[in-house]
Amino acid sequence: MSTARTTEAPLALLARAAGPVRAWPPKALGVARLLARYGTRAHRRKLGRLKELGLIDRIPSDAQLFAGAIDMLRFWISPAAADYYAEKGIDYTFHQVLRFVDDPAAVGDPIGVFSERDAIIGHLMQVVHANPVYDLQLLMLFDDGHTELEGQLEAMLAGTHPRASSIAAIVEEPDYHARLLDYVRVFRREPRTPPPLRSNIQGRFDAVERTFGSLPAAMRYFGRLPERWPDALRHLRSVETFPLELAEPEPGKSPVRE
């Protein structure tokens, strides 16, 4: 089976992803709200809530969050996605354009702590995730996060989701939403159930997946980065490859540096 993303012409995909004109103002408002939150301390409250829930051990500084978000993008999200799209014969840059046109707010927050519930859900539904656990844990910030995700996945599979056409222009595998729905239901019963990893991950991105694939591990990595802005910026300038000494250790081992 194939998807619209792999069979339709680029202009048709762009039109699908953009959706009807009436959908554009809500998209713009979503971006405006996201940008406004970058100027507030709301993310600190969310981080505090994650600590209360036992999902993070300690709250990283803003400098650590900034450097960690960039490290996550350059060492995990982008290279793993680019590798997957190359494997699928999908143009990586055009794929990001489609994602942005469909839901710009869903691509503007790599670590998710500035995002609204539906932006996280939209992000999960847009693309085949290397590991969905990080976002499922993030949705625990919202009392109805998992219930809403499950309902939207059911609507997507039934063809009744309001963004069914635009999401279908982006998602790469025809059975992704059914597989994600199955895992969401299992995760809600037992959050420690091993996640379904994307086909290109195991054996190629093990250390970075172990580090960034879950919220607790990613936040531990952020906490190992320099706390102060000058040092965090120096880290970004000087570190060009994934620092294995800061990686999440394999089960039963301790990190090289805390």
Side-chain angles (χ1 to χ4, degrees):
M1 292 179 64
S2 58
T3 66
R5 177 64 187 90
T6 58
T7 59
E8 293 192 7
L11 287 179
L13 292 171
L14 276 173
R16 265 183 178 254
V21 173
R22 66 177 180 275
W24 298 357
K27 293 181 186 184
L29 286 173
V31 173
R33 290 194 300 269
L34 173 64
L35 293 176
R37 283 192 294 276
Y38 272 110
T40 72
R41 304 274 300 170
H43 67 289
R44 306 302 299 179
R45 292 192 292 274
K46 285 187 175 181
L47 290 167
R49 179 59 179 153
L50 290 172
K51 191 171 186 299
E52 290 174 3
L53 291 170
L55 284 168
I56 62 176
D57 305 318
R58 61 190 181 94
I59 299 174
S61 69
D62 281 355
Q64 289 173 322
L65 287 174
F66 178 79
I70 292 178
D71 278 3
M72 181 184 282
L73 273 171
R74 62 180 178 155
F75 298 140
W76 166 233
I77 297 173
S78 290
D83 177 83
Y84 171 70
Y85 296 140
E87 192 178 84
K88 291 285 184 181
I90 292 174
D91 182 271
Y92 176 69
T93 301
F94 181 61
H95 204 70
Q96 305 318 305
V97 172
L98 289 176
R99 290 186 59 209
F100 181 83
V101 170
D102 171 49
D103 187 3
V107 299
D109 177 15
I111 57 175
V113 295
F114 295 90
S115 294
E116 297 173 342
R117 182 201 67 188
D118 281 358
I120 298 169
I121 291 174
H123 167 70
L124 263 170
M125 294 177 65
Q126 274 186 336
V127 294
V128 175
H129 267 54
N131 181 344
V133 165
Y134 184 105
D135 293 297
L136 291 180
Q137 291 169 330
L138 201 57
L139 281 173
M140 293 172 71
L141 283 167
F142 308 92
D143 291 340
D144 61 348
H146 292 155
T147 301
E148 182 65 21
L149 171 60
E150 190 170 333
Q152 290 199 33
L153 285 168
E154 290 171 345
M156 188 69 195
L157 291 169
T160 58
H161 194 284
R163 285 173 53 206
S165 179
S166 61
I167 291 173
I170 304 169
V171 76
E172 310 92 330
E173 297 179 13
D175 62 344
Y176 171 64
H177 293 121
R179 289 187 282 114
L180 180 58
L181 178 59
D182 288 343
Y183 181 67
V184 169
R185 288 169 172 165
V186 172
F187 181 89
R188 295 185 71 179
R189 295 194 301 269
E190 178 46 73
R192 291 173 295 183
T193 302
L197 299 182
R198 198 168 56 202
S199 59
N200 71 316
I201 298 303
Q202 288 182 323
R204 302 170 76 175
F205 295 94
D206 290 344
V208 286
E209 186 279 322
R210 195 166 62 244
T211 302
F212 296 122
S214 73
L215 185 61
M219 290 294 169
R220 281 193 290 269
Y221 174 88
F222 295 174
R224 295 179 189 127
L225 298 176
E227 290 187 43
R228 298 172 63 248
W229 279 103
D231 300 324
L233 294 174
R234 192 174 302 112
H235 162 85
L236 292 175
R237 288 195 303 269
S238 61
V239 176
E240 298 180 351
T241 59
F242 179 64
L244 286 172
E245 69 276 10
L246 301 182
E248 185 72 4
E250 295 181 56
K253 295 184 179 180
S254 299
V256 174
R257 190 180 107 197
E258 284 285 359

